[in-house]
Amino acid sequence: MSSAENIQTGADMPDAGMLDVAIHRGGGGRPSAIQHYQVPRQENQTVLDIVSHIQHYIDPTLSYRFACRVGMCGSCAMMVNGEPRWTCRTHIDRVVEHNSLEIAPLRNLPVIKDLVPDLDPFFDKWTKAEARHHPSASRHQPMHIQPPDSPERQRADANIECINCAVCYAACDTVANQPDYLGPAALQRAWTLLNDAKDADKEAIWQAVSGGDGCHNCHSIGSCAHYCPNELNPMTAIAGLKQQTVRQAFSLTSVLKKNRND
Amino acid sequence: MIDARIYIWQRLSAMIMIPLVLGHLAVMIYAIEGGLSVGEILGRTQGSLVWLIFYGSFVLAVSAHAGLGLGIISAEWFRLTPKIASLLGMAVGLILLVMGSHAIWAVTFALP
């Protein structure tokens, strides 16, 4: 029996009391306010179960976002007791404090309504960082063979499991202080593509990540790596970008190229 | 605010400062522990090309490093635009450069 069914029926599972849940409501031009709900506590309950219970049984006007419920889609991230988390894989036993929970929309993003953040700025920055595939061949050409144990592929593989949940972006204090900073997720993807032999426009990525909003703004605080639900390390990827951009700046070929362009 | 150019200048100025800071600390300890008088110190610094190069490069590195760093910090903390933050950083760097150069000139060339 799934935990969602348990909430609906309330059967079989021992009730461990009521949980006081404070939810940040508002957004979309409406004033923000904290609303409290009493939710029955059950075994194996996730934060997403709590939010779903409120929406199903207490207040149908509550808005939130989720899809897969198994940590694959990256759409249910929220701030839980002030920390960004994927709510479908966060058991409340790990986060509950004094029998209460505080749930808010993801930090560093505009709010559409209640717990639904507007992810446009997050994904716009992926585009700005050139963190998209630049094709090197058409489907009619032979497939590029990339040895999986080559150092470049290993570096590309290290962070390829990003699910775009924006937890790292919400955790990043540099984004909080510099809203234009591209952020850990976009820069991590740019690093992955730089190490991908099948990407054809590495120069565009270099240019994008070396600008005033790029990788050099990272202070290596490490919140991105600390909170990443998939245990990826965007900070290492950004350190790689910094290192390579400096090498690039001092390399003979880039000096010659610059002189040619001038 | 921090592009690759600013990042590289800050790291380079920091790299230059590392041995100079250690040298500066050593000179300070030597001057104080050894009980050198003002006259004795000036006797060693005046007309000394080595002293001029050592502290001259120190002043240049500090002015660049502090100017860039304070510009960046002010942009982040006070939400200044990059242009205003850069101007503020340049002003700080210029003040440090003028004060440092004046001190070096006074100790190396000016008559006691």
Side-chain angles (χ1 to χ4, degrees):
Chain A
M1 182 179 281
S2 74
S3 59
E5 284 169 328
N6 289 333
I7 290 169
Q8 276 184 1
T9 61
D12 300 333
M13 290 296 178
D15 189 347
M18 300 297 273
L19 198 65
D20 177 44
V21 184
I23 295 197
H24 290 239
R25 307 286 308 266
R30 291 172 310 135
S32 172
I34 294 176
Q35 212 162 331
H36 287 261
Y37 301 94
Q38 299 299 311
V39 179
R41 192 167 173 177
Q42 299 184 33
E43 281 185 19
N44 296 322
Q45 206 169 14
T46 65
V47 175
L48 185 61
D49 290 335
I50 297 278
V51 178
S52 296
H53 180 93
I54 294 169
Q55 207 257 359
H56 291 176
Y57 300 111
I58 306 174
D59 187 348
T61 67
L62 176 68
S63 296
Y64 64 110
R65 187 190 277 137
F66 77 99
C68 73
R69 298 187 300 173
V70 290
M72 297 287 288
C73 71
S75 56
C76 69
M78 300 170 199
M79 303 300 290
V80 181
N81 287 344
E83 297 180 28
R85 292 183 179 279
W86 53 356
T87 57
C88 68
R89 298 285 300 271
T90 303
H91 278 235
I92 59 161
D93 294 340
R94 292 202 342 245
V95 290
V96 75
E97 290 169 6
H98 309 297
N99 221 33
S100 66
L101 271 185
E102 185 180 352
I103 306 173
L106 274 183
R107 179 176 171 240
N108 294 338
L109 288 162
V111 179
I112 295 173
K113 183 175 177 282
D114 300 338
L115 301 173
V116 183
D118 181 358
L119 290 169
D120 276 357
F122 175 70
F123 287 113
D124 285 347
K125 287 179 180 178
W126 283 56
T127 314
K128 204 173 169 192
E130 289 290 335
R132 60 187 179 81
H133 179 59
H134 307 88
S136 57
S138 74
R139 70 183 68 181
H140 306 295
Q141 290 169 289
M143 192 185 285
H144 178 87
I145 304 298
Q146 175 69 25
D149 53 355
S150 71
E152 291 82 13
R153 192 61 233 170
Q154 298 271 315
R155 282 198 293 271
D157 280 344
N159 289 320
I160 208 157
E161 295 294 341
C162 173
I163 57 170
N164 318 345
C165 64
V167 161
C168 60
Y169 189 83
C172 179
D173 287 336
T174 310
V175 173
N177 290 326
Q178 281 181 265
D180 290 335
Y181 170 51
L182 294 172
L187 290 170
Q188 176 179 257
R189 179 63 62 172
W191 175 243
T192 300
L193 289 168
L194 273 174
N195 286 295
D196 187 343
K198 297 187 294 301
D199 194 282
D201 198 357
K202 295 190 175 13
E203 188 61 36
I205 303 175
W206 286 127
Q207 295 293 333
V209 301
S210 301
D213 305 327
C215 63
H216 304 96
N217 290 278
C218 170
H219 296 311
S220 306
I221 299 169
S223 302
C224 51
H226 180 74
Y227 286 106
C228 176
N230 272 345
E231 297 178 357
L232 307 181
N233 194 337
M235 188 174 68
T236 308
I238 294 169
L241 284 175
K242 287 177 181 173
Q243 200 177 50
Q244 290 297 328
T245 47
V246 172
R247 274 195 192 146
Q248 184 91 343
F250 286 107
S251 76
L252 188 62
T253 47
S254 82
V255 172
L256 292 174
K257 201 182 284 178
K258 190 174 183 303
N259 287 343
R260 245 199 328 270
N261 292 338
D262 291 343
Chain B
M1 167 89 194
I2 313 174
D3 58 17
R5 204 166 37 94
I6 293 176
Y7 179 84
I8 289 169
W9 273 111
Q10 251 208 315
R11 266 63 189 173
L12 282 178
S13 55
M15 278 167 62
I16 293 168
M17 274 160 51
I18 291 169
L20 297 179
V21 167
L22 294 174
H24 175 61
L25 289 172
V27 167
M28 279 201 319
I29 292 165
Y30 169 70
I32 293 165
E33 291 295 315
L36 290 177
S37 68
V38 173
E40 284 169 330
I41 292 172
L42 283 175
R44 290 162 198 225
T45 60
Q46 283 196 326
S48 167
L49 190 64
V50 174
W51 201 90
L52 177 74
I53 293 169
F54 183 91
Y55 275 98
S57 48
F58 202 172
V59 165
L60 285 174
V62 166
S63 305
H65 193 80
L68 288 169
L70 287 173
I72 292 159
I73 291 167
S74 60
E76 276 194 38
W77 284 30
F78 308 117
R79 296 285 171 92
L80 302 180
T81 61
K83 198 173 177 182
I84 292 173
S86 300
L87 284 173
L88 190 72
M90 279 168 70
V92 171
L94 200 64
I95 290 168
L96 289 173
L97 185 66
V98 169
M99 288 171 68
S101 304
H102 181 256
I104 289 171
W105 176 263
V107 180
T108 316
F109 295 115
L111 291 173

